[in-house]
Amino acid sequence: MQAPRSSGDERQGWSGATQPPRNAARRIPRSPDLPPVLGATITPEGTDFAVHAGHADAVELCLFGDREDTRGESGLERRIPLVEQAHGTWFGSVPDVGAGQRYGYRVHGPWLPDEGQRHNPDKLLLDPYARAVDGEVTWRPEVFGHVVDEAFRGSGEQRDPRDSAPYVPRGVVLGDGFDWGEDNSPFVPWDRTVVYEAHVRNVTARHPGVPEHLRGTFAGMAHPAVLEHLTSLGVTAVELLPVQAFTHEPALVRQGLTNHWGYNTLGFFAPHAAYAAADDPQGVLDEFKGMVKLLHAAGLEVLLDVVYNHTAEQGGHEGATLSWRGFDNRGYYRLDGRGQDVDVTGCGNTLDLRNIETCRMVLDSLRYWVREMRVDGFRFDLAPALARGMDDAFDPDHPFLVALRTDPLLSRVKLVAEPWDVGPHGWHTGEFPPPFAEWNDRFRDGVRTFWLPDVARDAAGQPGHGVRELATRLAGSNDLFGPEDRGPLSSVNFVTAHDGFTLADTTAYEHKHNEANAQDGRDGSDTNHTWNHGTEGPTDDPPTTTARRRSLRNLLATLLFSTGVPMISSGAELGRTQRGNNNAYCQDNEISWLDWELADWQQDLLATSRFLVGLRRDHPIFRQRAFFDGRSVRPDGTAFDHWYAADGAPMHDGIWNDPRCRTLLLFLDGSLLEADSALVVFHGGHGDTEVHLPSITDVTSYELWWDSAQERPAATLVNAAPVGPCQAVTVTGASIRVYRAVTHPCR
């Protein structure tokens, strides 16, 4: 028997009845003052269900047969009114319901668009706390709460009476059992962390060592062939692009494309089922946990790129009704006084973390992924959107950030902010409170500019930007992270990420080539700080390819020799190209997938990447925990860290401020660390130049460790004749040299 689906008056009478309908859920034993835990919780008697719908008149739990996606004449959908309510949470317990049960909700309540209320019981809703999502969204007018045409256009005012159940996914009740064995987090300190930003599918889809049926999956990501690559490269943490359940925007589906990156979350508690080799919900959950367990066993931390700033109901009030909008549009989303969307993400449907229940949902989700899935941290997409206060301005003391910083579980994992959104005054690099680290876009832009456009300017005889910005980034970005005693390890340094050109493409393209995205070139950034070395796109011209490869090595080395936390975008070490596409978010194909069939120059680049990561790992001077600025001194009054000019003399303001200066020497003193000292020569001029190695207290000679002019790290360099202080050496145009400083035996 189904619960009534009738007028508002009848719903009001039903929800206020003193006697519940005969198929209503039974009462859950609980505190008389508090609602139960949200979601679906298996008990010895059955399953407890609880969901928040703060402005609803009534809520129906809908149970479905295994894998059923339609509601037919035989009554495959069983509706059970939830008659218990406290503080906006509706709940009940259903006997003899256990793991594997498919379910959803229907919510009765006001349809008042001008007030932000869009309840529609004709729409089946996914539980925001569902730990598994079964099925896909079929994009049809029926999945919208308001009337739309076949192109999904509508005013958003008229309520749609059609049933959406045949076209939307279900939540699945799951148990908690998993054998974690001896699993432990590696707990890698920030100063030893090297992040590898990866997409589950991109890394594994073409990997010849991964069995075909595991490619593109969590299991493939944890396959020994992939683990061997990661560990031999020397990275310590894998940061996965979104793996929480997501769906694809209708506009992309109509064009035969997908939201490949996954920044369109449909379920904050569920792994994305399409990334699993398993074909049942429990298997998907177990496969994700198995991946984490194997990555941990290999010494690798697992960080998740999470999207809590907006949801898959994107499009503002004109978007679909899949979950949150139907439960409590007015509570979950940031709205203005007319019930209209306040968009600071560019996608609409900005979650309003000023609302207690919304904030709690996000915190509960984060705790779930740490406690139950055992991940080691998070990168927060468009993080300022999560911390805009009552006046819509970014607030570093926003309750959500305070909760993260004080939570005994979440405050102990790695927290990384993408410190910008698209709202007013959206750029906030350096403004997040500790213990947050942040993506440092100033590092990306400064390092790229030094090695790419400024080298091109130098070749044309034009002044560039000098070396001051490069030095600031090398030294840990004190200008951004010095306040509040945050330190340089708050800076996650990167030169490329998933969003933008690949590392190889920064040296081969000056213009985006996004034709495959079918947006007529409107998507993707037009400001990329790149240089094609004289030819746009692929070329076989030897001088051009040689210069491009040297630029790749310069960018990687600068990243790994800088103070802060380096992040390598997957495929950078392989010279991966996206054919000039700088916004491949919708390309689930060979544009995005890593090609593991490597040419000789790519093998050389991989060897160089391994060498550079190893140099950083083995020598503490390249992973300092404090800022250095050339003014720190030893007890005898001499400096720990020095900046020098090409003539071997200390830098001074005249050189720092000279836009034509293209050469910078950095001396890193390892004496207090009881470690080797080093001299790094950065020469960003187009042509070769003469450099005098500086005379420094206790340094008797310099031994060449690495030269970016070499295609592959050469063992012969270590046996090269030492160079004495004040001696002149010729440095190849646009290259880096690293010397080990040999000190007096007394030190």
Side-chain angles (χ1 to χ4, degrees), residues 489-513:
L489 297 179
S490 298
S491 176
V492 175
N493 299 331
F494 66 103
V495 288
T496 57
H498 67 276
D499 187 2
F501 282 125
T502 68
L503 189 71
D505 285 354
T506 65
T507 70
Y509 297 91
E510 291 183 13
H511 308 285
K512 63 187 181 185
H513 296 267

Side-chain angles (χ1 to χ4, degrees), residues 317-334:
H317 68 279
E318 297 180 356
T321 296
L322 306 172
S323 179
W324 304 271
R325 175 170 288 117
F327 283 109
D328 192 357
N329 181 66
R330 183 169 156 181
Y332 279 116
Y333 293 125
R334 188 179 288 267

Side-chain angles (χ1 to χ4, degrees), residues 8-91:
D9 289 340
E10 291 171 327
R11 289 199 305 271
Q12 178 64 37
W14 169 59
S15 63
T18 55
Q19 294 296 322
R22 59 191 176 95
N23 63 344
R26 69 178 180 83
R27 184 183 301 272
I28 300 175
R30 62 176 180 86
S31 162
D33 302 314
L34 297 173
V37 172
L38 294 169
T41 306
I42 297 176
T43 69
E45 296 79 22
T47 299
D48 294 345
F49 293 90
V51 68
H52 186 81
H55 294 90
D57 295 330
V59 175
E60 296 169 277
L61 170 68
C62 306
L63 303 181
F64 295 86
D66 186 42
R67 295 182 181 274
E68 292 290 352
D69 62 357
T70 60
R71 182 173 58 83
E73 294 299 324
S74 58
L76 296 176
E77 177 181 346
R78 175 188 172 201
R79 299 190 190 178
I80 302 174
L82 298 180
V83 296
E84 290 291 304
Q85 178 192 7
H87 306 165
T89 295
W90 301 74
F91 51 95

Side-chain angles (χ1 to χ4, degrees), residues 396-622:
D397 293 321
H398 188 283
F400 173 66
L401 299 184
V402 172
L404 279 176
R405 299 168 67 190
T406 57
D407 185 277
L409 182 65
L410 299 178
S411 63
R412 311 308 296 177
V413 301
K414 286 185 165 72
L415 303 174
V416 181
E418 181 184 38
W420 51 83
D421 64 18
V422 301
H425 310 290
W427 188 81
H428 295 282
T429 306
E431 297 178 25
F432 277 75
F436 272 92
E438 300 176 36
W439 274 24
N440 188 348
D441 55 318
R442 290 278 294 274
F443 181 96
R444 174 199 62 200
D445 296 346
V447 170
R448 280 197 195 180
T449 297
F450 182 83
W451 289 117
L452 297 170
D454 274 3
V455 176
R457 292 186 186 101
D458 191 71
Q462 301 170 354
H465 294 81
V467 296
R468 179 183 289 275
E469 177 71 8
L470 177 69
T472 301
R473 304 307 149 214
L474 287 167
S477 297
N478 195 352
D479 59 330
L480 299 173
F481 302 102
E484 306 296 332
D485 193 30
R486 294 185 64 194
L489 297 179
S490 298
S491 176
V492 175
N493 299 331
F494 66 103
V495 288
T496 57
H498 67 276
D499 187 2
F501 282 125
T502 68
L503 189 71
D505 285 354
T506 65
T507 70
Y509 297 91
E510 291 183 13
H511 308 285
K512 63 187 181 185
H513 296 267
N514 296 359
E515 295 80 9
N517 297 354
Q519 295 186 40
D520 298 323
R522 295 186 304 273
D523 68 305
S525 175
D526 294 312
T527 305
N528 296 289
H529 308 284
T530 63
W531 179 38
N532 63 19
H533 292 75
T535 302
E536 186 77 356
T539 180
D540 293 326
D541 176 60
T544 302
T545 56
T546 297
R548 285 178 176 180
R549 294 197 292 267
R550 187 163 65 248
S551 291
L552 292 179
R553 296 189 291 273
N554 291 337
L555 291 166
L556 278 171
T558 306
L559 173 66
L560 289 161
F561 295 153
S562 294
T563 296
V565 180
M567 183 185 79
I568 300 171
S569 182
S570 67
E573 75 280 16
L574 308 177
R576 178 175 80 93
T577 178
Q578 288 180 173
R579 308 171 196 169
N581 192 321
N582 74 347
N583 190 35
Y585 79 103
C586 56
Q587 300 297 328
D588 186 8
N589 50 47
E590 294 184 359
I591 292 176
S592 297
W593 302 340
L594 273 63
D595 183 357
W596 294 91
E597 298 298 324
L598 306 182
D600 289 345
W601 73 268
Q602 292 172 296
Q603 295 281 4
D604 292 340
L605 182 62
L606 177 57
T608 297
S609 301
R610 289 168 172 163
F611 175 83
L612 293 173
V613 174
L615 204 62
R616 181 185 179 90
R617 177 190 62 236
D618 297 339
H619 297 280
I621 49 170
F622 296 121

Side-chain angles (χ1 to χ4, degrees), residues 131 174-180 183 218-219 222 271 282-296 302 368-369 371-375:
R131 293 195 292 152
L174 293 182
D176 293 323
F178 182 79
D179 182 9
W180 284 100
D183 173 74
F218 299 129
Q282 187 66 55
V284 172
L285 186 68
D286 292 345
E287 186 174 326
F288 181 90
K289 292 179 177 179
M291 175 192 69
V292 173
K293 181 178 178 180
L294 289 170
L295 287 167
H296 281 176
V302 180
Y368 175 76
W369 288 93
R371 184 179 59 248
E372 299 296 334
M373 311 295 257
R374 300 203 178 185
V375 304

Side-chain angles (χ1 to χ4, degrees), residues 185-196 236-239 296 299-306 366 370 374-380 404 409-417 433-438 489 492 565-566 625:
S185 169
F187 286 115
V188 181
W190 272 120
D191 66 306
R192 292 181 175 271
T193 296
V194 179
V195 178
Y196 189 79
T236 67
V238 177
E239 181 178 301
H296 281 176
L300 297 165
E301 292 182 306
V302 180
L303 312 180
L304 300 187
D305 191 339
V306 288
L366 292 167
V370 174
R374 300 203 178 185
V375 304
D376 305 288
F378 305 94
R379 178 264 190 189
F380 293 89
L404 279 176
L409 182 65
L410 299 178
S411 63
R412 311 308 296 177
V413 301
K414 286 185 165 72
L415 303 174
V416 181
F436 272 92
E438 300 176 36
L489 297 179
V492 175
V565 180
R625 300 183 62 89

